[in-house]
Amino acid sequence: MTTSNTSNNSNAQFNFFKMCIGRPVVVKLNNGVEYRGILEVVDGNMNIVMEQTEEYLNGQLKTKYGDCFLRGNNVLYISAQPRK
Amino acid sequence: MLFFSFYKSLVGKEITVELKNDLSITGLLQSVDQFLNIKLKDIKVNEEDKYPYMISVKNCFIRGSVVRYVHLPAEDVDVETLQDHSRLEAREQKKQNKQHQEQKSSTATTATTSTTV
Amino acid sequence: MDKREEGSVEEPLDLIRLSLDERIFVKMRQDRELRGKLHAYDQHLNMILSDVEETIKVVEKDEETDEEIIRNIKRNIKMLFVRGDGVILISPPLRTS
């Protein structure tokens, strides 16, 4: 399969995001901090809104946020979690 | 564009620009461009003893990307107008994004889904 | 005006729009945190906040004991423009949905 077509790629990306919405995810940022919560919405810049978010540093819970917005440029990965 | 217009309305006012390297410069806003590059005149560095080579500098050009904060004169900021403009611009941006998306999907007729659950 | 556009979060930036005129929490690079009332933003997350409290976390090392001391430096700023490229996270007050 050729993946050079950008619209093909962004479509796959979009489908992955759509699949994850409303589900628990882990988002890791470039600075090593991890956010666990329910994915609400994502855009093409990887800006993310999550709810019931927990902030983890080195595996330790640091803070909780109700809603939280993460700026896309800091995102290393978004990982879908199995439903609890 | 919102912040570009906003800064244009502040020309001639005193602002303090705090850079990412912690240098703070106070001066009169002379001009600004679309990248939020800033020209200041009659400047003063806030911790002069720490940056003695800055004493003789009277005017400066600051590249927008090195700015961390700008301290603004609160009395010259109309927050109501700013909020209205922010909402307007958000709506404009959304419209543009949608058009962009539609263009993209109309050209990508062969795009197939490749994700598996 | 489109009602859906007003109240719901269709895209991430909508959350920021709904926080206009509210106090928000902003986590910045270099261990800086801001709390202030949001008055303006754009797609880069450049923002104008008022009545801002900035907290900077500084880690100092005690030379004798090698202990790390975390110190919070706070300052207040009446009206502040924040450049978006330094922003990591924004959290609005709890939304009543």
Side-chain angles (χ1 to χ4, degrees), chain B residues 18 20 68-70 83, chain C residues 30 39 54 75 81 85:
Chain B
E18 195 177 316
K20 291 197 171 109
R68 180 190 294 134
Y69 302 138
V70 179
Q83 285 165 202
Chain C
Q30 300 181 338
H39 295 298
E54 185 195 29
R75 59 172 174 164
F81 167 84
D85 55 6

Side-chain angles (χ1 to χ4, degrees), chain C residues 22 37 39 48 68 78 84 87 94:
Chain C
E22 306 267 5
K37 198 172 180 185
H39 295 298
I48 290 176
E68 285 193 345
K78 195 88 189 88
V87 172
L94 283 179

Side-chain angles (χ1 to χ4, degrees), chain A residues 22-76:
Chain A
R23 297 179 56 167
V25 291
V26 178
V27 178
K28 191 158 182 140
L29 303 189
N30 288 325
N31 61 11
V33 184
E34 243 179 50
Y35 294 89
R36 290 164 181 269
I38 312 295
L39 186 67
E40 214 170 313
V41 61
V42 188
D43 69 13
N45 294 319
M46 293 268 254
N47 291 324
I48 296 171
V49 171
M50 296 164 76
E51 34 183 23
Q52 302 163 38
T53 314
E54 298 173 331
E55 182 180 280
Y56 289 86
L57 181 57
N58 304 321
Q60 272 187 309
L61 179 62
K62 291 285 168 190
T63 330
K64 289 185 183 184
Y65 304 100
D67 276 311
C68 106
F69 174 101
L70 297 170
R71 195 177 192 264
N73 68 314
N74 303 300
V75 175
L76 187 64

